[in-house]
């Protein structure tokens, strides 16, 4: 809890209003992280004014997500209602379940991806990519943003590529994938705080990590917004990030089209934010996987029932034709 008074060495209390604003900003506020700075702004009108300084929030954004220092991202953030403070409030909390994805496609002209990958506290990859969203090809094709090309050099994680590295990578690698809509002046971080799934590729033996947030689509079913990271390397060597992609998948495991994905992401940007725990996000993903399996089983049962009806109809037609032939 913040206080508007400070205690001196002689035991007397001094109002914070007596401290010069420059001292508060240069020696106190610039040492706080985002949540602490937001809490401090609620203590008094004076602190609210001092904590609203965009330079403070820009420093926090740049230290939290180095990709936000890129000119493209910086220009987009400058148009937000409260600049970096608005961007932080959009991007820091995780998404929560919401209803959305209905109605006409939003008038989004393009999306900006600001992506940062950490191993513990060490930054190993940072990239910014712009994606146009107006073409018919984007609107009708599966929505997928590929970030790392096959020949692109990416920093290695300080992990050895060996037997136990999959669980280590799952626990120690963190990904932030922030989507920015410059026209809407909103942003959202689609990646979960930690990997919700880790698996080995059956052919290459690479490690695939999934950072997914489960949200509600407009058709009453859940969808997952997922950042997928593929890591590999030589046995005993350092773990290398080889591929990174972002997509929106439905309950059938299909990647949703660009137009449908834009409706879901547009609604998500307007949705409520919560500070989710890692376990909560993993439980939500596990629930999504279970519902996905149930949906697949129901579909298989329907297909088997349809096959039986078709077989029965075929047999009945055959018997009828055979009976007609014998009767003549």
């Amino acid at each position: 809890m913040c206080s508007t008074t400070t205690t001196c060495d002689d035991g007397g209390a001094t109002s914070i209003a007596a401290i010069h604003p420059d001292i508060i900003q240069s020696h106190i506020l610039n040492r706080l992280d985002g949540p602490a700075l937001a809490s401090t702004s609620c203590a008094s009108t004076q602190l609210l004014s001092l904590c609203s300084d965009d330079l403070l929030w820009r420093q926090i954004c740049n230290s939290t997500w180095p990709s936000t220092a890129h000119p493209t991202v910086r220009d987009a953030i400058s148009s937000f209602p409260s600049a970096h403070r608005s961007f932080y409030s959009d991007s820091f909390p995780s998404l929560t379940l919401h209803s959305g994805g209905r109605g006409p496609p939003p008038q989004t002209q393009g999306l900006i991806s600001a992506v940062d990958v950490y191993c513990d506290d060490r930054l190993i990859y940072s990239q910014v990519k712009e994606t146009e969203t107006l073409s018919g090809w984007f609107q009708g094709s599966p929505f997928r943003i590929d970030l790392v090309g096959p020949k692109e050099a990416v920093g290695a994680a300080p992990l050895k590529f060996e037997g136990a590295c999959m669980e280590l990578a799952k626990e120690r690698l963190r990904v932030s994938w922030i989507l920015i809509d410059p026209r809407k002046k909103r942003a959202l971080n689609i990646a979960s705080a930690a990997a919700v799934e880790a698996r080995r590729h059956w052919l290459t033996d690479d490690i695939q990590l999934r950072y997914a947030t489960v949200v509600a689509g407009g058709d009453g079913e859940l969808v997952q917004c997922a950042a997928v990271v593929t890591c590999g390397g030589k046995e005993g060597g350092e773990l290398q990030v080889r591929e990174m992609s972002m997509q929106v998948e439905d309950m059938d495991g299909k990647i949703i089209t660009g137009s449908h994905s834009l409706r879901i992401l547009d609604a998500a940007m307007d949705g409520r934010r919560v500070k989710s725990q890692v376990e909560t996000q993993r439980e939500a993903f596990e629930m999504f996987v279970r519902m996905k399996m149930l949906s697949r089983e129901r579909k298989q049962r329907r297909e088997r029932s349809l096959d039986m009806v078709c077989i029965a109809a075929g047999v009945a037609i055959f018997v009828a034709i055979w009976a007609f032939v014998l009767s003549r």
Side-chain angles (χ1 to χ4, degrees):
M1 179 67 69
C2 299
S3 174
T4 57
T5 62
T6 58
T7 303
C8 300
D9 292 338
D10 59 3
T14 302
S15 171
I16 198 169
I19 304 175
H20 196 280
D22 290 344
I23 296 178
I24 297 175
Q25 284 192 324
S26 60
H27 294 281
I28 301 176
L29 299 183
N30 63 351
R31 300 174 185 270
L32 303 179
D33 60 12
L37 188 62
S39 298
T40 302
S41 67
C42 301
S44 68
T45 303
Q46 180 194 16
L47 286 175
L48 174 61
S49 176
L50 294 175
C51 292
S52 299
D53 182 18
D54 188 60
L55 178 60
L56 291 172
W57 288 102
R58 186 177 71 185
Q59 292 171 344
I60 290 174
C61 288
N62 291 171
S63 62
T64 306
W65 309 291
S67 58
T68 58
H70 191 282
T72 300
V73 179
R74 189 172 62 243
D75 291 344
I77 294 175
S78 65
S79 67
F80 278 44
S82 297
H84 286 82
R85 184 177 183 180
S86 295
F87 177 83
Y88 188 89
S89 66
D90 274 354
S91 305
F92 178 73
S94 302
L95 288 173
T96 185
L97 287 174
H98 69 284
S99 59
R102 296 179 179 176
Q107 300 302 310
T108 302
Q109 298 175 352
L111 295 173
I112 301 172
S113 295
V115 182
D116 299 287
V117 182
Y118 281 89
C119 182
D120 298 329
D121 293 326
R122 173 181 166 182
L123 180 70
I124 62 174
Y125 182 71
S126 184
Q127 185 63 275
V128 172
K129 182 173 183 178
E130 296 181 77
T131 304
E132 68 83 23
T133 59
L134 295 178
S135 68
W137 179 87
F138 174 88
Q139 295 282 334
S141 300
F143 176 70
R144 178 186 171 102
I145 300 176
D146 291 297
L147 210 59
V148 179
K151 298 182 180 180
E152 186 176 350
V154 178
L159 299 172
K160 295 294 184 181
F161 185 69
E162 52 191 11
C165 67
M166 185 169 73
E167 288 304 316
L168 288 174
K170 182 179 180 181
E171 296 302 323
R172 295 177 59 184
L173 288 183
R174 294 186 294 110
V175 173
S176 170
W177 193 306
I178 300 175
L179 288 175
I180 305 167
D181 185 344
R183 185 181 184 277
K184 190 180 181 68
K185 300 178 178 59
R186 295 299 302 267
L188 75 159
N189 194 341
I190 62 97
S192 52
V196 295
E197 181 184 64
R199 62 173 59 183
R200 290 272 187 178
H201 192 279
W202 67 273
L203 180 61
T204 64
D205 205 36
D206 286 344
I207 298 171
Q208 291 184 329
L209 301 173
R210 183 174 294 265
Y211 300 80
T213 301
V214 178
V215 299
D219 53 2
E221 293 189 343
L222 300 178
V223 300
Q224 60 163 315
C225 303
V228 181
V229 180
T230 302
C231 306
K234 296 181 180 180
E235 186 68 27
E238 288 187 314
L239 192 70
Q240 297 277 346
V241 176
R242 292 183 170 175
E243 296 179 15
M244 284 192 68
S245 63
M246 178 263 162
Q247 61 236 0
V248 182
E249 299 179 14
D250 63 12
M251 296 289 291
D252 294 325
K254 296 178 181 178
I255 301 178
I256 298 173
T257 62
S259 60
H260 190 184
S261 296
L262 283 180
R263 288 196 291 269
I264 293 173
L265 294 172
D266 183 74
M269 288 184 182
D270 293 331
R272 186 171 62 91
R273 307 292 202 273
V274 294
K275 185 179 180 181
S276 297
Q277 300 296 324
V278 172
E279 287 305 316
T280 302
Q281 292 177 322
R282 286 178 177 167
E283 288 172 2
F285 177 75
E286 291 170 359
M287 177 190 67
F288 176 83
V289 172
R290 290 194 297 269
M291 294 179 66
K292 181 178 176 180
M293 292 178 61
L294 291 173
S295 176
R296 184 181 303 164
E297 290 173 358
R298 287 195 297 268
K299 184 177 180 181
Q300 290 174 347
R301 285 197 296 268
R302 287 196 300 268
E303 290 176 348
R304 285 196 296 267
S305 298
L306 182 60
D307 289 342
M308 292 301 296
V309 170
C310 292
I311 292 172
V315 171
I317 293 173
F318 175 79
V319 170
I321 294 175
W322 183 251
F324 176 76
V325 172
L326 291 178
S327 65
R328 296 192 63 180

